[in-house]
Amino acid sequence: MAGSMDDFDEEGDDLLASFVENKDDLQNNVPVDFPFPFEAYDIQKKFMENLYLSLDKGQVGIFESPTGTGKSLSLICGALKWLKDYQEKQKRDLEALIAEEEKSCTSCDGVSGELDWITQFAVKKEKQEKLDSAKQKQQKLEKQESRLLEIGKQKQYRKRKRDPLEEEFEELMKEAAPDVQAAYREEIDKVKGQEVDQGDDDLVPEDYHSDEEVKSEDVSDSENSENSEEEVDHVTKIYYCSRTHSQLAQFVREIVKSPYGSNTRVLTLGSRQNLCVNETVKKLKSLSLMNDMCLDLQKNKSKKIDREPSGEAVRKRREKNGGGCLYYRQEMMEDLGNRILTEITDVEQIVKAGRQMKACPYYTSRLSIPLAEVVVLPYNIILHKSTREASGIRLEGNVVLIDEAHNLLETINSVYSVTVTGAQLTKAHSQLSQYEQRFRSRLKAKNLLYVKQILYILNCLVRFLGGRADINGAKQSAGKYETKVLTVNQFLSESGFDNINLFKILQYCRKSQISKKLNGFLEKHPNSEVSVAAEKAKEKNMGVAGFLEEITQNVESSASMEEMQKTNAYKGNEESVVMRSPLMHIEGFFASLTSADKDGRIVLTKQPLMSNCSLKFLLMNPAVHFKDVLTQARSVIVAGGTMQPIDEFKQQLFFAADIGPERILEYSCGHVIASDHLFALAMKSGPMGIDLDFTFGSRENSALLNELGLIVSNICGIIPGGLVCFFPSYDYQNLVYQHWQKSGILTKLERKKRIFQEPKLSSQVEHVLGEYSKSIQKSSGGGSVSGAILLCVVGGKMSEGINFSDDLGRGVIMVGMPYPNIKSPELQEKMQYLNSNFPRDKNGHLPGQVHYENLCMKAVNQSIGRAIRHREDYATILLLDKRYCKESVRTKLPSWIGKNLQKMEKYGPAVAAISQFFRGKKSDTMN
């Protein structure tokens, strides 16, 4: 197999580039045939051809292919066909280059005497250097291929020796309950891998050098790091990103089924939360704490232990220095790496193999990146620069393929947005104050200076929220509810610490690991907060009653903080895990304040209770962080089932990152279904002639709710199987449901179809879907109740990633248009930003208004795309709102829906058309 040429000297690369330019240009010669597991549809062939062309030209591609059209297989077969061809082309070009240079060097010996001997010598030397460079490159490729062949032939993995304790564990635990096995493993890890207490020495940062010294050290470290990385050759690869691990696992399974499943090295990456197998680390609730614990165990493992004459002495020395991680073993990780490169595995399979082989899946996967041809990973790893670099990902010369990219703009904004609360700020200030008081005499001057500066910043932030840092946030009042948006410079000025260099603060936090030291301090001295409170009580002569009140405040504050974090965790906020100290999270907010003034905003939210107040950094310009990906990677492909409206991607993400239109390729394909398998209808009025106006001011009208009930009731009698009905919000869904319940409409519906509602808890989704499916299957056998109706919410748990194929979704109803809250300060600020920085569209509309409409239509497109999942599937899509009859709305629907959309002014003809559609399908089925 061919490897990448990224790791060779610049002169050789320039030579090869100039050589290739003089050869036949292959970039427009797209293959006629693509390996595919079955006969590909025409739209799949065109998809692969356009993808191949985009990768070959190094373009930025926007690909839209409806779910059910084999998008994943088209991506796999098109991209891997290009990759294999590119690898072979690299080898051919290199061989031809060497042959040409050898011929050129030989011809130099017979050069005419017109040139003096010095010139002849210089020319010959230059050609010889170029030849040597090309040969060196070829040797590296051959060495790399040899290594890959060795891995490919390896069928048996080295069996490691197991100690009696592990043998006993395996035998005794085979039939034990899972929780017993986990508890036993945890005890083993504690015995073998846990650090012993080393006092408080590890809690005090080392002497912090001057900024100049640190800068020079950073440069040196950077150079060493780069030199170290240069020793590892990376093959040209494809980075495939998606939103969830289930989607990534599905993509891996598609590769296995493809023609490339047997000869492609595929690697799946994940976080420690997904890949760690050390029970001591896994039990930690915070990802940040998991990272710190893991690094500590590595550090202990890597400590040098002098050889002692006595084995007992060695054992004692190891015990003193800490045992390290049982799974971080080079030999075992090498075996695991060979396995995951020769067997296509997803995250769960990698973890299982890691447990069996007693090797760390997390570090093994990262060490295996250089030789992998396809790296499968979540969004955040590729989009977040520091995470990307820490993972060892190189974008230069490689392809980035982002699937399910319809929310890419929002995803980047979310990755770089940070929220801190009043409770977090007061808690961090209190903890760091205790730390500073305890170790004041042991902290060097530079350390003490920076700790004081961090305390000053925390104090300024608390005061800006309207509170005091020396009083528990849970007992402080911050005044009335208020929301305010500021630029970064305005915020720094008004908060009072614009004179402090945040870059130096962040550098100190990184080098000293002060947040980690603080967390260790709180772990070893959990009662220090009470002790400090007691000292303050004595100083202020508060007496016993005051001291007890102080303790009560601490307990209530802790409970309030934990409750708030649990609430945020329920909402899906990964940063809201319960942390012993919030300083590490607050450092992320400090980092956001170093952004350019025009690229971000600070949203201040004041509430009556100080602990509930918050500061949020809101990223305005996602292109500033995505630009590195676009400029470093050879090609970037964003793909999805519904990418409309595409203009927003180009304006805010590509053009804003200085990517010209000439480098962008757009491709949107239709559906594999025949046109008569879809009936899309925009309905303007109901059976009583009332306009379907679900705007915010009219949607609670009783007459309108009755009209909606009559429409759904009539439709239930026509549409067989399952009917999925989407509402703009949970509140509106509940409002409609309660009205139907009171008016008797719900009773009429239940006579026709069994009714289900989308649950608020994610854990209940699978159960509801299962019952919904059972009801539809039962109704197929006959009976008065035919099928089921599922009431869902746009943007909820069932609007993405759920397939309502065949009878599960014969009809999809969209009630109203799900516009976001226009009064939201964040949305208003975003619209103002767009109006100030981007031009009007071709119709003269302001970009802020276009963005507002696009947010609505992207949500609509995701929801109505839940139906029709394969070639033989059929369904009807009903858009219930008179605004859907506008031409401007139709153009923002997926092309395969928009071109077939019918607009019905009156209710009667609309129902007749739906009835005729399903009579035709019933007739086709019988025939």
Side-chain angles (χ1 to χ4, degrees):
M1 293 182 188
S4 170
M5 300 185 294
D6 299 336
D7 301 295
F8 303 97
D9 59 57
E10 192 173 311
E11 183 179 6
D13 286 338
D14 293 341
L15 176 63
L16 183 58
S18 62
F19 175 80
V20 173
E21 286 177 1
N22 295 325
K23 306 296 289 182
D24 293 333
D25 188 2
L26 298 178
Q27 67 181 11
N28 290 319
N29 296 334
V30 178
V32 176
D33 296 320
F34 288 84
F36 215 69
F38 47 82
E39 181 64 29
Y41 305 132
D42 288 339
I43 62 171
Q44 292 171 332
K45 292 178 181 178
K46 291 179 181 178
F47 185 102
M48 291 185 286
E49 290 171 0
N50 280 274
L51 177 62
Y52 190 103
L53 181 64
S54 181
L55 297 179
D56 205 47
K57 288 185 174 182
Q59 292 179 313
V60 175
I62 305 174
F63 284 75
E64 182 181 52
S65 178
T67 304
T69 57
K71 172 170 61 71
S72 295
L73 271 176
S74 300
L75 285 170
I76 291 167
C77 296
L80 286 178
K81 171 64 175 173
W82 170 84
L83 181 63
K84 302 297 183 181
D85 289 351
Y86 181 73
Q87 291 172 344
E88 291 301 320
K89 183 174 179 293
Q90 280 183 313
K91 291 178 64 177
R92 292 196 306 270
D93 289 343
L94 190 56
E95 290 169 357
L97 173 62
I98 291 173
E100 185 170 308
E101 287 303 316
E102 285 179 339
K103 181 179 179 181
S104 178
C105 286
T106 304
S107 64
C108 284
D109 294 336
V111 71
S112 64
E114 295 179 1
L115 295 176
D116 58 62
W117 67 271
I118 297 178
T119 305
Q120 291 181 28
F121 177 78
V123 171
K124 186 174 181 179
K125 181 182 178 182
E126 180 182 358
K127 291 183 176 294
Q128 187 63 45
E129 287 176 349
K130 292 178 179 179
L131 177 61
D132 291 342
S133 174
K135 285 184 175 181
Q136 183 184 14
K137 184 174 295 189
Q138 188 180 47
Q139 289 173 0
K140 285 192 176 183
L141 287 177
E142 290 173 353
K143 186 183 295 185
Q144 192 177 72
E145 288 181 3
S146 176
R147 166 67 175 148
L148 295 173
L149 287 173
E150 180 184 340
I151 292 175
K153 291 178 181 178
Q154 184 178 356
K155 301 297 181 183
Q156 297 290 333
Y157 299 98
R158 288 189 293 270
K159 293 184 179 180
R160 67 184 188 86
K161 294 181 179 179
R162 294 149 59 94
D163 59 44
L165 180 62
E166 290 172 337
E167 292 283 1
E168 182 182 357
F169 169 78
E170 294 293 343
E171 292 299 323
L172 294 176
M173 290 297 114
K174 281 182 179 178
E175 299 181 0
D179 56 339
V180 176
Q181 295 184 27
Y184 199 95
R185 288 182 184 277
E186 183 176 340
E187 289 303 316
I188 290 178
D189 280 348
K190 283 183 179 179
V191 173
K192 292 188 172 185
Q194 202 172 45
E195 284 188 274
V196 295
D197 188 11
Q198 300 177 5
D200 288 343
D201 291 343
D202 59 335
L203 303 180
V204 181
E206 297 178 1
D207 190 12
Y208 190 69
H209 301 288
S210 67
D211 299 322
E212 290 76 14
E213 290 173 328
V214 172
K215 184 176 180 181
S216 63
E217 287 177 5
D218 286 344
V219 173
S220 176
D221 291 343
S222 176
E223 291 174 352
N224 292 336
S225 176
E226 289 175 4
N227 292 336
S228 175
E229 289 180 0
E230 287 297 329
E231 295 175 1
V232 183
D233 296 333
H234 284 238
V235 302
T236 303
K237 56 176 56 62
I238 296 168
Y239 290 104
Y240 173 86
C241 316
S242 194
R243 188 168 57 91
T244 65
H245 281 286
S246 61
Q247 290 170 336
L248 296 176
Q250 176 62 31
F251 184 79
V252 170
R253 289 192 290 271
E254 292 290 334
I255 295 180
V256 174
K257 292 189 294 185
S258 77
Y260 295 96
S262 60
N263 65 342
T264 303
R265 299 182 302 279
V266 180
L267 177 68
T268 303
L269 295 184
S271 67
R272 283 184 175 89
Q273 284 179 321
N274 301 115
L275 292 175
C276 181
V277 292
N278 187 318
E279 296 297 334
T280 304
V281 178
K282 282 186 65 179
K283 71 180 182 181
L284 299 173
K285 297 180 180 179
S286 165
L287 178 58
S288 299
L289 295 181
M290 289 181 68
N291 292 337
D292 285 341
M293 172 66 81
C294 178
L295 294 173
D296 279 346
L297 292 176
Q298 282 183 67
K299 187 177 180 181
N300 293 331
K301 189 77 174 178
S302 63
K303 287 181 179 178
K304 294 183 180 179
I305 303 175
D306 298 331
R307 294 186 177 274
E308 300 284 349
S310 166
E312 181 66 17
V314 175
R315 187 191 65 75
K316 288 182 178 179
R317 180 74 65 86
R318 282 180 177 162
E319 183 179 326
K320 180 180 178 182
N321 289 335
C325 179
L326 292 173
Y327 301 90
Y328 192 74
R329 301 178 181 181
Q330 193 65 37
E331 182 182 1
M332 298 302 104
M333 285 164 44
E334 184 177 342
D335 285 345
L336 178 60
N338 292 342
R339 179 170 175 176
I340 64 179
L341 284 174
T342 53
E343 300 176 9
I344 299 179
T345 53
D346 57 26
V347 169
E348 291 183 1
Q349 293 169 326
I350 293 174
V351 169
K352 183 178 180 181
R355 288 192 186 280
Q356 292 173 346
M357 303 176 69
K358 302 301 184 208
C360 175
Y362 177 77
Y363 280 103
T364 299
S365 61
R366 275 150 179 73
L367 293 172
S368 303
I369 290 176
L371 295 180
E373 293 174 301
V374 178
V375 179
V376 181
L377 68 169
Y379 279 158
N380 61 308
I381 295 180
I382 206 83
L383 296 178
H384 197 266
K385 184 177 181 180
S386 59
T387 305
R388 183 170 70 239
E389 293 174 347
S391 300
I393 292 172
R394 292 185 185 178
L395 297 179
E396 293 80 1
N398 296 317
V399 171
V400 175
L401 216 168
I402 302 176
D403 201 1
E404 300 298 328
H406 54 276
N407 285 330
L408 184 58
L409 288 166
E410 291 76 14
T411 301
I412 298 173
N413 289 336
S414 176
V415 166
Y416 286 94
S417 295
V418 186
T419 301
V420 293
T421 65
Q424 290 173 330
L425 293 170
T426 53
K427 187 173 185 179
H429 186 278
S430 174
Q431 292 172 345
L432 192 58
S433 297
Q434 298 159 31
Y435 176 87
E436 185 264 340
Q437 289 176 18
R438 186 178 184 94
F439 297 112
R440 182 180 298 170
S441 60
R442 299 174 61 180
L443 289 170
K444 300 294 184 180
K446 205 79 172 182
N447 278 307
L448 192 57
L449 172 64
Y450 278 105
V451 169
K452 290 283 190 184
Q453 286 186 343
I454 295 173
L455 283 169
Y456 176 75
I457 295 174
L458 292 173
N459 186 54
C460 288
L461 293 174
V462 172
R463 282 194 289 106
F464 189 73
L465 289 175
R468 288 177 54 184
D470 57 345
I471 300 178
N472 193 286
K475 291 294 183 180
Q476 291 191 66
S477 173
K480 297 180 179 180
Y481 181 88
E482 177 189 1
T483 302
K484 186 178 180 182
V485 181
L486 306 95
T487 66
V488 174
N489 288 345
Q490 286 175 338
F491 172 74
L492 291 173
S493 176
E494 293 186 20
S495 57
F497 60 95
D498 53 333
N499 58 328
I500 292 181
N501 189 330
L502 285 172
F503 291 97
K504 290 185 177 181
I505 294 292
L506 289 169
Q507 184 175 311
Y508 170 77
C509 291
R510 178 176 58 85
K511 299 289 286 186
S512 69
Q513 296 184 315
I514 185 63
S515 58
K516 179 181 171 183
K517 306 289 185 186
L518 179 58
N519 193 74
F521 163 69
L522 294 167
E523 182 178 5
K524 291 188 176 182
H525 304 283
N527 297 322
S528 59
E529 188 168 356
V530 176
S531 300
V532 173
E535 291 298 325
K536 289 184 177 180
K538 291 178 182 178
E539 292 174 7
K540 297 180 180 180
N541 297 318
M542 293 173 63
V544 177
F547 174 50
L548 292 176
E549 181 182 355
E550 186 75 21
I551 296 177
T552 304
Q553 289 178 4
N554 292 333
V555 174
E556 290 178 355
S557 175
S558 177
S560 174
M561 181 69 180
E562 185 171 346
E563 184 64 29
M564 180 187 66
Q565 289 170 333
K566 287 180 179 178
T567 301
N568 289 338
Y570 167 74
K571 294 178 181 177
N573 185 355
E574 294 182 1
E575 293 293 340
S576 63
V577 290
V578 178
M579 297 178 63
R580 186 176 290 107
S581 172
L583 182 60
M584 191 176 297
H585 173 68
I586 294 171
E587 286 177 14
F589 183 72
F590 290 169
S592 67
L593 296 179
T594 61
S595 303
D597 185 60
K598 62 184 177 66
D599 292 334
R601 299 289 185 272
I602 305 297
V603 181
L604 163 67
T605 303
K606 281 190 176 184
Q607 296 191 19
L609 197 61
M610 168 63 191
S611 59
N612 293 334
C613 297
S614 65
L615 291 167
K616 179 178 182 180
F617 172 79
L618 188 66
L619 182 66
M620 293 281 109
N621 181 17
V624 72
H625 292 292
F626 197 61
K627 186 174 182 178
D628 287 343
V629 178
L630 291 169
T631 55
Q632 293 176 19
R634 171 193 175 92
S635 179
V636 176
I637 305 296
V638 293
T642 52
M643 295 297 291
Q644 292 291 346
I646 289 177
D647 286 343
E648 188 173 48
F649 270 92
K650 295 190 293 185
Q651 286 289 343
Q652 295 187 37
L653 209 55
F654 300 149
F655 295 163
D658 299 326
I659 301 297
E662 70 283 351
R663 197 189 162 195
I664 299 174
L665 183 147
E666 297 178 44
Y667 177 76
S668 179
C669 68
H671 213 296
V672 292
I673 60 169
S675 59
D676 63 348
H677 279 224
L678 169 69
F679 183 67
L681 177 66
M683 197 176 293
K684 186 176 181 181
S685 62
M688 305 302 294
I690 297 175
D691 279 352
L692 299 179
D693 179 12
F694 289 97
T695 55
F696 187 78
S698 305
R699 65 182 184 176
E700 296 184 12
N701 185 283
S702 297
L704 178 63
L705 297 180
N706 290 333
E707 195 85 336
L708 174 63
L710 290 175
I711 294 174
V712 175
S713 178
N714 292 337
I715 294 299
C716 282
I718 300 173
I719 298 179
L723 178 63
V724 185
C725 186
F726 285 99
F727 293 88
S729 67
Y730 283 104
D731 290 340
Y732 193 62
Q733 178 196 338
N734 291 333
L735 177 83
V736 172
Y737 189 87
Q738 291 173 9
H739 179 85
W740 287 354
Q741 203 169 34
K742 293 177 182 178
S743 63
I745 294 176
L746 199 63
T747 304
K748 294 180 181 179
L749 289 174
E750 289 173 337
R751 291 174 187 155
K752 299 177 179 179
K753 292 184 184 292
R754 188 177 172 188
I755 299 176
F756 295 88
Q757 292 190 76
E758 178 179 320
K760 290 187 177 180
L761 296 178
S762 299
S763 58
Q764 298 176 357
V765 169
E766 197 169 324
H767 173 73
V768 172
L769 286 175
E771 293 299 313
Y772 172 73
S773 178
K774 288 178 184 177
S775 296
I776 294 171
Q777 291 172 359
K778 288 179 181 178
S779 66
S780 61
S784 58
V785 178
S786 176
I789 180 170
L790 182 60
L791 308 180
C792 303
V793 176
V794 175
K797 301 168 186 64
M798 297 182 179
S799 62
E800 288 190 50
I802 304 293
N803 295 337
F804 295 106
S805 59
D806 299 320
D807 283 343
L808 293 180
R810 289 302 180 199
V812 175
I813 297 177
M814 177 62 62
V815 178
M817 300 187 72
Y819 281 103
N821 182 11
I822 190 65
K823 295 182 179 180
S824 164
E826 296 180 11
L827 178 57
Q828 288 185 347
E829 190 64 31
K830 179 70 174 182
M831 292 173 65
Q832 291 177 13
Y833 171 83
L834 294 173
N835 290 338
S836 302
N837 292 276
F838 293 92
R840 293 174 180 263
D841 67 1
K842 57 185 178 183
N843 296 318
H845 299 144
L846 287 170
Q849 183 63 30
V850 173
H851 172 71
Y852 181 61
E853 294 173 358
N854 288 346
L855 289 175
C856 169
M857 292 309 300
K858 282 195 288 187
V860 169
N861 293 340
Q862 282 303 305
S863 298
I864 62 179
R866 298 305 92 209
I868 305 188
R869 315 302 284 184
H870 58 86
R871 185 180 183 90
E872 303 302 324
D873 205 357
Y874 62 90
T876 182
I877 296 174
L878 305 180
L879 306 177
L880 304 185
D881 196 302
K882 64 179 184 179
R883 290 172 290 180
Y884 284 113
C885 295
K886 296 180 180 178
E887 182 64 20
S888 59
V889 173
R890 186 192 64 80
T891 58
K892 293 185 178 182
L893 292 169
S895 58
W896 64 280
I897 296 177
K899 68 180 181 181
N900 295 317
L901 183 67
Q902 297 187 32
K903 304 170 188 176
M904 292 291 183
E905 296 286 333
K906 296 183 179 181
Y907 177 75
V911 174
I914 297 171
S915 180
Q916 182 180 355
F917 173 78
F918 283 103
R919 278 200 305 270
K921 292 303 150 194
K922 185 177 181 179
S923 175
D924 292 343
T925 304
M926 294 176 64
N927 294 334

